[in-house]
């Protein structure tokens, strides 16, 4: 196999999707292509996905009367706060144009290579191999639900007298009186003493729900409302080069805007640390001498490993151990393994590193 030196060396770290989101193509070694097939080995990066809960607190119109009429401390001022609720780290594969290879599978048995959209190898001689990497599920965003004061029940709870009054103090007095009236009506229904009792259990349930909803809306006019939602953002982390710091700021958490980019100093830093834990080494023979790359060999990665840790405010949000292509070495398999007419082999690649997942003989 010959290594193809790409002119676009500066494009080595193009953003790419994970193999799970890729379609596949079948490259068949034929006479027309002189039995030559080209693929690109990937390098490893990481996608850090962070979920933050946004809490918006809004005072009610009658908050200054809450203690007087309801003996409760209300929300006194509008506020927005954020907190990290979940974080996930997943490895992703990016094209390494410096590791582009031409393999010659000449044997007359129609050997082929399956590649994804990024031209990363997925399999040799196995069209049914899925190749999808094992990824951690991502947190889901949650849209804010309308508060009780943003729903129609809030208008239904307001009495004509409250609408006609121009005094906020009088409106608050009328609203408090309506709250206690609703509570009394609910107690009468529950005890069976109401003048007009619901006709059956379903009607009673509906009546109680309506009373509770109106009371909740009127109470929120005094105590205020709290609205929550969840926002999710993903940040790309590149494996640091040798000599670069292992610890990097991947994002920031702003008290105003939530998750922001690392350069936005309005937020406190969220750190990611990529620590090498092992390095892939070329195989050696019985005498401990490093083996030579087989002539025309099918290139694959022998990856290293790293521990990736995400931290905020001194606390670890998540961490995991991952195979890393850059911490490894490239070696090759004899192409005759895949072109043998008597006992051809198949090969499954790890789409995130270009490493070997499985190598075996095709059942005849």
């Amino acid at each position: 196999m010959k290594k193809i030196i790409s002119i676009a060396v500066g494009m080595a770290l193009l953003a790419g999707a994970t193999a799970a989101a890729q379609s596949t193509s079948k490259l068949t070694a034929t006479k027309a292509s002189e039995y030559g097939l080209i693929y690109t080995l990937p390098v490893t990066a990481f996608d850090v996905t962070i979920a933050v809960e946004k809490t918006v607190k809004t005072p009610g119109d009658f908050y200054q009367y809450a203690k007087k009429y309801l003996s409760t401390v209300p929300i006194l001022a509008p506020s927005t706060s954020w907190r990290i609720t979940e974080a996930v780290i997943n490895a992703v594969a990016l094209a390494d144009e410096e590791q582009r290879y031409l393999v010659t599978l000449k044997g007359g048995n129609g050997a082929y290579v399956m590649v994804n959209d990024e031209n990363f190898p997925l399999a040799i001689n196995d069209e049914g191999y899925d190749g999808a990497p094992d990824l951690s599920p991502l947190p889901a965003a949650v849209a804010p639900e309308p508060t009780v004061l943003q729903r129609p029940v809030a208008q239904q709870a307001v009495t004509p007298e409250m609408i006609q009054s121009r005094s906020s103090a009088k409106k608050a007095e009328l609203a408090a009186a309506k709250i206690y009236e609703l509570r009394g009506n609910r107690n009468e229904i529950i005890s069976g003493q109401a003048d007009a009792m619901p006709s059956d259990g379903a009607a009673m349930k509906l009546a109680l729900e309506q009373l509770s909803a109106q009371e909740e809306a009127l109470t929120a006019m005094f105590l205020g409302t709290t609205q929550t939602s969840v926002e999710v953002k993903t940040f790309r982390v590149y494996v640091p080069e040798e000599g670069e710091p292992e610890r990097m700021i991947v994002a920031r958490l702003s008290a105003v805007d939530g998750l922001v980019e690392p350069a936005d100093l309005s937020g406190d830093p969220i750190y990611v640390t990529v620590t090498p834990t092992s390095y892939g080494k070329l195989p050696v023979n019985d005498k401990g001498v490093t083996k030579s790359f087989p002539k025309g060999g099918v290139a694959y990665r022998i990856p290293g490993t790293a521990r990736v840790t995400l931290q905020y405010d001194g606390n670890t949000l998540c961490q995991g151990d991952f195979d890393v292509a850059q911490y490894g070495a490239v070696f090759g398999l004899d192409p005759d393994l895949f072109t043998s007419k008597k006992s051809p082999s198949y090969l499954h690649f790890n789409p995130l590193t270009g490493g070997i997942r499985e190598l075996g003989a095709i059942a005849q």
Side-chain angles (χ1 to χ4, degrees), residues 3 16 56 87 102 116 123 144 151 163 169 175 186 190 213 229 240 275 290-291 315 321 349:
K3 181 175 178 180
V56 178
L102 169 67
N116 64 15
R151 298 198 293 264
I163 296 174
R186 183 173 64 246
I190 293 174
S229 59
T275 306
T290 301
K291 292 184 177 180
N315 298 313
D321 296 313
F349 288 91

PDB file of all heavy atoms in Angstrom, residues 3 16 56 87 102 116 123 144 151 163 169 175 186 190 213 229 240 275 290-291 315 321 349:
ATOM      1  N   LYS A   3       1.221   5.350   0.675  1.00  0.00           N
ATOM      2  CA  LYS A   3       0.643   6.468   1.397  1.00  0.00           C
ATOM      3  C   LYS A   3       0.525   7.650   0.457  1.00  0.00           C
ATOM      4  O   LYS A   3       1.472   8.023  -0.206  1.00  0.00           O
ATOM      5  CB  LYS A   3       1.514   6.826   2.597  1.00  0.00           C
ATOM      6  CG  LYS A   3       0.967   7.971   3.430  1.00  0.00           C
ATOM      7  CD  LYS A   3       1.820   8.182   4.658  1.00  0.00           C
ATOM      8  CE  LYS A   3       1.300   9.357   5.459  1.00  0.00           C
ATOM      9  NZ  LYS A   3       2.102   9.589   6.656  1.00  0.00           N
ATOM     10  N   GLY A  16     -16.074  17.102  11.499  1.00  0.00           N
ATOM     11  CA  GLY A  16     -16.768  15.995  10.847  1.00  0.00           C
ATOM     12  C   GLY A  16     -17.786  15.393  11.775  1.00  0.00           C
ATOM     13  O   GLY A  16     -17.700  15.525  12.976  1.00  0.00           O
ATOM     14  N   VAL A  56     -36.211  31.160  35.515  1.00  0.00           N
ATOM     15  CA  VAL A  56     -36.618  32.556  35.449  1.00  0.00           C
ATOM     16  C   VAL A  56     -37.689  32.791  36.510  1.00  0.00           C
ATOM     17  O   VAL A  56     -38.755  32.160  36.476  1.00  0.00           O
ATOM     18  CB  VAL A  56     -37.168  32.916  34.052  1.00  0.00           C
ATOM     19  CG1 VAL A  56     -37.638  34.367  34.018  1.00  0.00           C
ATOM     20  CG2 VAL A  56     -36.111  32.678  32.989  1.00  0.00           C
ATOM     21  N   ALA A  87     -23.799  16.461  31.638  1.00  0.00           N
ATOM     22  CA  ALA A  87     -22.728  16.643  30.662  1.00  0.00           C
ATOM     23  C   ALA A  87     -22.323  15.288  30.106  1.00  0.00           C
ATOM     24  O   ALA A  87     -22.304  14.282  30.837  1.00  0.00           O
ATOM     25  CB  ALA A  87     -21.524  17.339  31.294  1.00  0.00           C
ATOM     26  N   LEU A 102      -3.543   4.292  -0.337  1.00  0.00           N
ATOM     27  CA  LEU A 102      -3.983   3.556  -1.515  1.00  0.00           C
ATOM     28  C   LEU A 102      -3.654   2.082  -1.300  1.00  0.00           C
ATOM     29  O   LEU A 102      -2.500   1.728  -1.084  1.00  0.00           O
ATOM     30  CB  LEU A 102      -3.272   4.065  -2.769  1.00  0.00           C
ATOM     31  CG  LEU A 102      -3.423   3.221  -4.036  1.00  0.00           C
ATOM     32  CD1 LEU A 102      -4.879   3.250  -4.518  1.00  0.00           C
ATOM     33  CD2 LEU A 102      -2.486   3.724  -5.127  1.00  0.00           C
ATOM     34  N   ASN A 116     -17.207   5.462   4.876  1.00  0.00           N
ATOM     35  CA  ASN A 116     -18.305   6.381   5.147  1.00  0.00           C
ATOM     36  C   ASN A 116     -18.129   7.660   4.341  1.00  0.00           C
ATOM     37  O   ASN A 116     -17.239   7.756   3.494  1.00  0.00           O
ATOM     38  CB  ASN A 116     -18.440   6.652   6.646  1.00  0.00           C
ATOM     39  CG  ASN A 116     -17.217   7.354   7.221  1.00  0.00           C
ATOM     40  OD1 ASN A 116     -16.370   7.888   6.487  1.00  0.00           O
ATOM     41  ND2 ASN A 116     -17.113   7.380   8.536  1.00  0.00           N
ATOM     42  N   ALA A 123     -14.999  -1.299   6.830  1.00  0.00           N
ATOM     43  CA  ALA A 123     -14.837  -2.756   6.753  1.00  0.00           C
ATOM     44  C   ALA A 123     -14.211  -3.131   5.418  1.00  0.00           C
ATOM     45  O   ALA A 123     -14.285  -2.383   4.442  1.00  0.00           O
ATOM     46  CB  ALA A 123     -16.184  -3.459   6.915  1.00  0.00           C
ATOM     47  N   PRO A 144     -39.428  26.027  27.714  1.00  0.00           N
ATOM     48  CA  PRO A 144     -40.174  26.508  28.883  1.00  0.00           C
ATOM     49  C   PRO A 144     -41.677  26.372  28.661  1.00  0.00           C
ATOM     50  O   PRO A 144     -42.188  26.684  27.580  1.00  0.00           O
ATOM     51  CB  PRO A 144     -39.754  27.975  29.001  1.00  0.00           C
ATOM     52  CG  PRO A 144     -39.327  28.364  27.616  1.00  0.00           C
ATOM     53  CD  PRO A 144     -38.730  27.127  27.011  1.00  0.00           C
ATOM     54  N   ARG A 151     -51.452  31.402  31.017  1.00  0.00           N
ATOM     55  CA  ARG A 151     -52.485  30.515  30.508  1.00  0.00           C
ATOM     56  C   ARG A 151     -53.863  31.175  30.627  1.00  0.00           C
ATOM     57  O   ARG A 151     -54.057  32.110  31.432  1.00  0.00           O
ATOM     58  CB  ARG A 151     -52.461  29.182  31.256  1.00  0.00           C
ATOM     59  CG  ARG A 151     -51.154  28.422  31.096  1.00  0.00           C
ATOM     60  CD  ARG A 151     -51.313  26.953  31.466  1.00  0.00           C
ATOM     61  NE  ARG A 151     -51.581  26.748  32.882  1.00  0.00           N
ATOM     62  CZ  ARG A 151     -50.655  26.468  33.784  1.00  0.00           C
ATOM     63  NH1 ARG A 151     -49.379  26.384  33.428  1.00  0.00           N
ATOM     64  NH2 ARG A 151     -50.979  26.272  35.046  1.00  0.00           N
ATOM     65  N   ILE A 163     -61.065  44.055  37.484  1.00  0.00           N
ATOM     66  CA  ILE A 163     -60.800  44.734  36.222  1.00  0.00           C
ATOM     67  C   ILE A 163     -61.170  46.211  36.306  1.00  0.00           C
ATOM     68  O   ILE A 163     -60.452  47.095  35.813  1.00  0.00           O
ATOM     69  CB  ILE A 163     -61.573  44.054  35.075  1.00  0.00           C
ATOM     70  CG1 ILE A 163     -61.076  42.610  34.880  1.00  0.00           C
ATOM     71  CG2 ILE A 163     -61.438  44.844  33.769  1.00  0.00           C
ATOM     72  CD1 ILE A 163     -61.874  41.823  33.873  1.00  0.00           C
ATOM     73  N   ALA A 169     -53.911  48.315  45.280  1.00  0.00           N
ATOM     74  CA  ALA A 169     -54.204  47.824  46.627  1.00  0.00           C
ATOM     75  C   ALA A 169     -55.590  47.191  46.675  1.00  0.00           C
ATOM     76  O   ALA A 169     -55.798  46.139  47.294  1.00  0.00           O
ATOM     77  CB  ALA A 169     -54.098  48.962  47.631  1.00  0.00           C
ATOM     78  N   ALA A 175     -58.478  40.194  44.980  1.00  0.00           N
ATOM     79  CA  ALA A 175     -57.874  38.922  44.586  1.00  0.00           C
ATOM     80  C   ALA A 175     -57.734  37.999  45.780  1.00  0.00           C
ATOM     81  O   ALA A 175     -57.999  36.786  45.681  1.00  0.00           O
ATOM     82  CB  ALA A 175     -56.508  39.166  43.948  1.00  0.00           C
ATOM     83  N   ARG A 186     -64.189  24.884  47.362  1.00  0.00           N
ATOM     84  CA  ARG A 186     -63.584  23.556  47.216  1.00  0.00           C
ATOM     85  C   ARG A 186     -63.871  22.696  48.442  1.00  0.00           C
ATOM     86  O   ARG A 186     -64.217  21.513  48.322  1.00  0.00           O
ATOM     87  CB  ARG A 186     -62.074  23.675  46.995  1.00  0.00           C
ATOM     88  CG  ARG A 186     -61.407  22.313  46.756  1.00  0.00           C
ATOM     89  CD  ARG A 186     -59.952  22.432  46.365  1.00  0.00           C
ATOM     90  NE  ARG A 186     -59.151  23.006  47.434  1.00  0.00           N
ATOM     91  CZ  ARG A 186     -58.547  24.185  47.376  1.00  0.00           C
ATOM     92  NH1 ARG A 186     -58.653  24.932  46.282  1.00  0.00           N
ATOM     93  NH2 ARG A 186     -57.832  24.628  48.382  1.00  0.00           N
ATOM     94  N   ILE A 190     -65.882  19.064  48.567  1.00  0.00           N
ATOM     95  CA  ILE A 190     -65.245  17.861  49.109  1.00  0.00           C
ATOM     96  C   ILE A 190     -66.065  17.281  50.258  1.00  0.00           C
ATOM     97  O   ILE A 190     -66.208  16.049  50.390  1.00  0.00           O
ATOM     98  CB  ILE A 190     -63.815  18.195  49.574  1.00  0.00           C
ATOM     99  CG1 ILE A 190     -62.932  18.550  48.367  1.00  0.00           C
ATOM    100  CG2 ILE A 190     -63.197  17.014  50.336  1.00  0.00           C
ATOM    101  CD1 ILE A 190     -61.552  19.024  48.736  1.00  0.00           C
ATOM    102  N   ALA A 213     -57.081  25.529  39.733  1.00  0.00           N
ATOM    103  CA  ALA A 213     -56.349  26.275  38.717  1.00  0.00           C
ATOM    104  C   ALA A 213     -56.547  27.783  38.900  1.00  0.00           C
ATOM    105  O   ALA A 213     -55.596  28.567  38.783  1.00  0.00           O
ATOM    106  CB  ALA A 213     -56.802  25.850  37.332  1.00  0.00           C
ATOM    107  N   SER A 229     -36.458  25.799  32.051  1.00  0.00           N
ATOM    108  CA  SER A 229     -36.236  25.188  30.746  1.00  0.00           C
ATOM    109  C   SER A 229     -34.827  24.616  30.750  1.00  0.00           C
ATOM    110  O   SER A 229     -34.027  24.896  31.648  1.00  0.00           O
ATOM    111  CB  SER A 229     -36.404  26.209  29.619  1.00  0.00           C
ATOM    112  OG  SER A 229     -35.496  27.294  29.786  1.00  0.00           O
ATOM    113  N   PRO A 240      -4.940  17.963  22.267  1.00  0.00           N
ATOM    114  CA  PRO A 240      -3.790  18.870  22.236  1.00  0.00           C
ATOM    115  C   PRO A 240      -2.559  18.208  21.633  1.00  0.00           C
ATOM    116  O   PRO A 240      -2.327  17.007  21.800  1.00  0.00           O
ATOM    117  CB  PRO A 240      -3.569  19.220  23.712  1.00  0.00           C
ATOM    118  CG  PRO A 240      -4.253  18.138  24.477  1.00  0.00           C
ATOM    119  CD  PRO A 240      -5.381  17.663  23.632  1.00  0.00           C
ATOM    120  N   THR A 275      -5.883  13.787  29.154  1.00  0.00           N
ATOM    121  CA  THR A 275      -4.644  13.259  29.722  1.00  0.00           C
ATOM    122  C   THR A 275      -4.302  11.929  29.064  1.00  0.00           C
ATOM    123  O   THR A 275      -5.054  10.958  29.187  1.00  0.00           O
ATOM    124  CB  THR A 275      -4.785  13.044  31.237  1.00  0.00           C
ATOM    125  OG1 THR A 275      -5.210  14.255  31.852  1.00  0.00           O
ATOM    126  CG2 THR A 275      -3.468  12.601  31.846  1.00  0.00           C
ATOM    127  N   THR A 290      11.111  -4.239  16.307  1.00  0.00           N
ATOM    128  CA  THR A 290       9.902  -3.685  15.691  1.00  0.00           C
ATOM    129  C   THR A 290       9.704  -4.226  14.283  1.00  0.00           C
ATOM    130  O   THR A 290      10.623  -4.237  13.465  1.00  0.00           O
ATOM    131  CB  THR A 290       9.986  -2.146  15.634  1.00  0.00           C
ATOM    132  OG1 THR A 290      10.136  -1.638  16.968  1.00  0.00           O
ATOM    133  CG2 THR A 290       8.725  -1.560  15.019  1.00  0.00           C
ATOM    134  N   LYS A 291       8.526  -4.702  14.029  1.00  0.00           N
ATOM    135  CA  LYS A 291       8.214  -5.251  12.711  1.00  0.00           C
ATOM    136  C   LYS A 291       8.151  -4.149  11.671  1.00  0.00           C
ATOM    137  O   LYS A 291       7.806  -3.001  11.964  1.00  0.00           O
ATOM    138  CB  LYS A 291       6.875  -5.991  12.743  1.00  0.00           C
ATOM    139  CG  LYS A 291       6.884  -7.265  13.556  1.00  0.00           C
ATOM    140  CD  LYS A 291       5.533  -7.970  13.454  1.00  0.00           C
ATOM    141  CE  LYS A 291       5.530  -9.293  14.207  1.00  0.00           C
ATOM    142  NZ  LYS A 291       4.220  -9.970  14.096  1.00  0.00           N
ATOM    143  N   ASN A 315     -15.636  20.981  40.619  1.00  0.00           N
ATOM    144  CA  ASN A 315     -16.340  19.699  40.650  1.00  0.00           C
ATOM    145  C   ASN A 315     -16.238  19.000  39.299  1.00  0.00           C
ATOM    146  O   ASN A 315     -16.290  19.644  38.242  1.00  0.00           O
ATOM    147  CB  ASN A 315     -17.817  19.902  41.003  1.00  0.00           C
ATOM    148  CG  ASN A 315     -18.006  20.511  42.369  1.00  0.00           C
ATOM    149  OD1 ASN A 315     -17.391  20.064  43.339  1.00  0.00           O
ATOM    150  ND2 ASN A 315     -18.836  21.538  42.467  1.00  0.00           N
ATOM    151  N   ASP A 321     -12.714   7.214  29.642  1.00  0.00           N
ATOM    152  CA  ASP A 321     -11.497   6.759  28.984  1.00  0.00           C
ATOM    153  C   ASP A 321     -11.809   6.443  27.528  1.00  0.00           C
ATOM    154  O   ASP A 321     -12.785   5.740  27.230  1.00  0.00           O
ATOM    155  CB  ASP A 321     -10.946   5.522  29.696  1.00  0.00           C
ATOM    156  CG  ASP A 321     -10.509   5.833  31.125  1.00  0.00           C
ATOM    157  OD1 ASP A 321      -9.805   6.838  31.312  1.00  0.00           O
ATOM    158  OD2 ASP A 321     -10.887   5.084  32.043  1.00  0.00           O
ATOM    159  N   PHE A 349     -13.185  -2.161  11.056  1.00  0.00           N
ATOM    160  CA  PHE A 349     -12.442  -1.050  11.618  1.00  0.00           C
ATOM    161  C   PHE A 349     -13.251  -0.378  12.737  1.00  0.00           C
ATOM    162  O   PHE A 349     -14.483  -0.417  12.741  1.00  0.00           O
ATOM    163  CB  PHE A 349     -12.155   0.011  10.550  1.00  0.00           C
ATOM    164  CG  PHE A 349     -11.128  -0.376   9.531  1.00  0.00           C
ATOM    165  CD1 PHE A 349     -11.507  -0.996   8.342  1.00  0.00           C
ATOM    166  CD2 PHE A 349      -9.784  -0.101   9.734  1.00  0.00           C
ATOM    167  CE1 PHE A 349     -10.573  -1.340   7.379  1.00  0.00           C
ATOM    168  CE2 PHE A 349      -8.839  -0.442   8.778  1.00  0.00           C
ATOM    169  CZ  PHE A 349      -9.230  -1.059   7.599  1.00  0.00           C
TER     170      PHE A 349
END
